[in-house]
Amino acid sequence: MKGGNFFDEAKEQSIVKSVIVSKYFWAWAKVIMPSARRSGNKIAYIDLFAGPGRYNDGTKSTPLLILEKAIEDSNMRQMLVTIFNDADSDNSKSLERAIHDLRGIDTLKYQPQITTKEVGDEMIGIFEQTRLIPTFFFVDPWGYKGLSLRLVNSVLKNWGCDCIFFFNYNRINMGLPNEAVDLHLNALFGNQRAERLRRKLNDLDQQERELAIVEEIAQALKEMGGAYVLPFRFRNDKGNRTSHHLIFVTKNFRGYEIMKEIMARESSTTVQGVSSFEYSPATVRQPLLFELSQPLDALTEMLLDEFAGQQLSMQQIYEKHNVGRPYLESNYKAALRKLEAEGKIATNPPANMRRPYQGEASFGSKVIVTFPKKAR
């Protein structure tokens, strides 16, 4: 079993991970299904490191949550194809039993496929040679073996396909200087990028190392066509070190926007309406560190600086600025309302010509904003 006693008990971090994945699957499916009905009437969920289905304490893991979502929906029951793989035969047998025991599992048109294969070149080659139906792809390896840019790209290449993977930062950080695992980490980052990263890390402190590693994997994903990359950080129980990142990659802005909303809601801290995009058991109990920042105030300053002298709609401001930043559409509306109230921007129509203040609705997506030029 991968990780020894990994499945003995569902930790808070594991539960949050499953919630994020299952919530996005539901939202993704609802967006994709109308188009999929016109071309094959199928969508897919693939999990290559699926695990045993339940933790030993009885908590359901991601595969069961996904299938329960499908069983609940009459349309999805007729469309969803699921493939669950785990190289550990004990895990796959346990998962098969757990799936068999799900109430309503026989109502699915396509019964789940369970395989026991190593994730490697042979499997990637099959994906590369196949034109996939719209697929949500989840990769959750115990360490880094089996996770590669080539694997992600083999699925992401087709229309309607999104990918999310668990990025074991702790093990990757320790493995980068270790020549014994060069093959695996070169497959993850690409040969040249991995070598450049190894040289760079020598002079960086702990926080800088993390930023550099996550930035390099994000850039590698973008270079192969994943236009939008969104990481979500998991801290250890004490909150003093990063253990993992859950990294989402998509070619579609709408998918990015949906996942950003989901990750924001699952963050352990929110200040001024801005989420931390991390889950830390320690900050759930003691959120002081994040509260020391003022992220919405920082957004107002950024907008004044980056859009100085320009005239744009609220929607244009949001779409041009939010990618790669922790802000949601609601944060932009709040920041623009603040700037408007302070007289730092001009709006059309102005506040006194719109309906009375009703939260976010008072700053619609079509409101035109004029930013002042920078003072010389």
Side-chain angles (χ1 to χ4, degrees), residues 48-65:
L48 296 185
F49 300 86
R54 288 182 184 271
Y55 293 85
N56 290 345
D57 65 0
T59 304
K60 298 168 186 173
S61 61
T62 311
L64 299 190
L65 297 178

Side-chain angles (χ1 to χ4, degrees), residues 100-346:
H100 180 268
D101 290 341
L102 280 179
R103 180 177 296 178
I105 191 65
D106 57 345
T107 64
L108 297 180
K109 180 177 181 179
Y110 305 103
Q111 289 298 295
Q113 302 173 45
I114 302 171
T115 60
T116 307
K117 298 180 179 179
E118 289 287 344
V119 178
D121 290 344
E122 181 179 353
M123 185 179 291
I124 294 171
I126 293 172
F127 286 142
E128 287 176 334
Q129 295 167 26
T130 304
R131 183 172 181 81
L132 299 174
I133 59 178
T135 298
F136 183 38
F137 187 51
F138 182 36
V139 185
D140 185 8
W142 171 246
Y144 36 72
K145 184 179 179 182
L147 179 60
S148 68
L149 290 174
R150 187 181 163 206
L151 173 64
V152 174
N153 193 46
S154 71
V155 174
L156 201 66
K157 69 184 190 302
N158 295 126
W159 176 82
C161 294
D162 288 348
C163 178
I164 189 165
F165 60 91
F166 218 35
F167 184 81
N168 192 325
Y169 170 76
N170 213 12
R171 296 194 66 187
I172 289 167
N173 181 38
M174 292 188 295
L176 276 164
N178 184 357
E179 294 182 1
V181 295
D182 277 0
L183 182 65
H184 297 303
L185 293 178
N186 287 354
L188 178 57
F189 289 94
N191 292 349
Q192 292 183 353
R193 189 180 297 277
E195 281 304 314
R196 186 169 67 246
L197 185 55
R198 290 183 184 104
R199 292 193 298 270
K200 183 193 299 185
L201 293 182
N202 292 330
D203 301 321
L204 302 181
D205 62 26
Q206 180 179 315
Q207 183 177 3
E208 291 169 334
R209 285 175 71 91
E210 181 178 350
L211 292 172
I213 289 170
V214 175
E215 177 64 21
E216 289 293 348
I217 192 64
Q219 290 303 321
L221 291 165
K222 288 179 180 180
E223 286 178 9
M224 71 178 197
Y228 303 97
V229 179
L230 186 61
F232 184 94
R233 177 164 59 182
F234 289 87
R235 295 282 196 174
N236 63 11
D237 289 341
K238 294 181 179 179
N240 58 0
R241 285 186 179 274
T242 297
S243 59
H244 298 78
H245 285 266
L246 193 61
I247 297 183
F248 172 71
V249 56
T250 181
K251 302 187 293 293
N252 187 277
F253 177 74
R254 180 59 182 146
Y256 176 81
E257 189 175 42
I258 291 170
M259 181 58 93
K260 203 172 191 183
E261 293 279 353
I262 291 170
M263 287 182 171
R265 287 194 294 271
E266 298 306 320
S267 298
S268 55
T269 47
T270 300
V271 173
Q272 292 189 311
V274 181
S275 300
S276 60
F277 286 82
E278 73 169 31
Y279 185 83
S280 171
T283 55
V284 169
R285 297 181 289 271
Q286 297 175 318
L288 175 62
L289 184 61
F290 191 64
E291 288 179 357
L292 293 175
S293 66
Q294 297 293 314
L296 194 64
D297 293 345
L299 177 58
T300 61
E301 294 302 317
M302 279 191 280
L303 295 180
L304 289 172
D305 181 63
E306 296 190 27
F307 295 112
Q310 299 184 49
Q311 187 178 78
L312 309 94
S313 70
M314 197 295 298
Q315 187 67 26
Q316 289 173 319
I317 294 166
Y318 162 63
E319 291 185 2
K320 285 176 179 288
H321 192 266
N322 90 94
V323 176
R325 294 184 170 96
Y327 301 109
L328 308 178
E329 184 180 22
S330 59
N331 300 140
Y332 285 88
K333 290 183 176 183
L336 291 169
R337 285 200 305 270
K338 186 173 186 292
L339 290 172
E340 182 182 38
E342 294 171 353
K344 294 181 179 179
I345 57 174

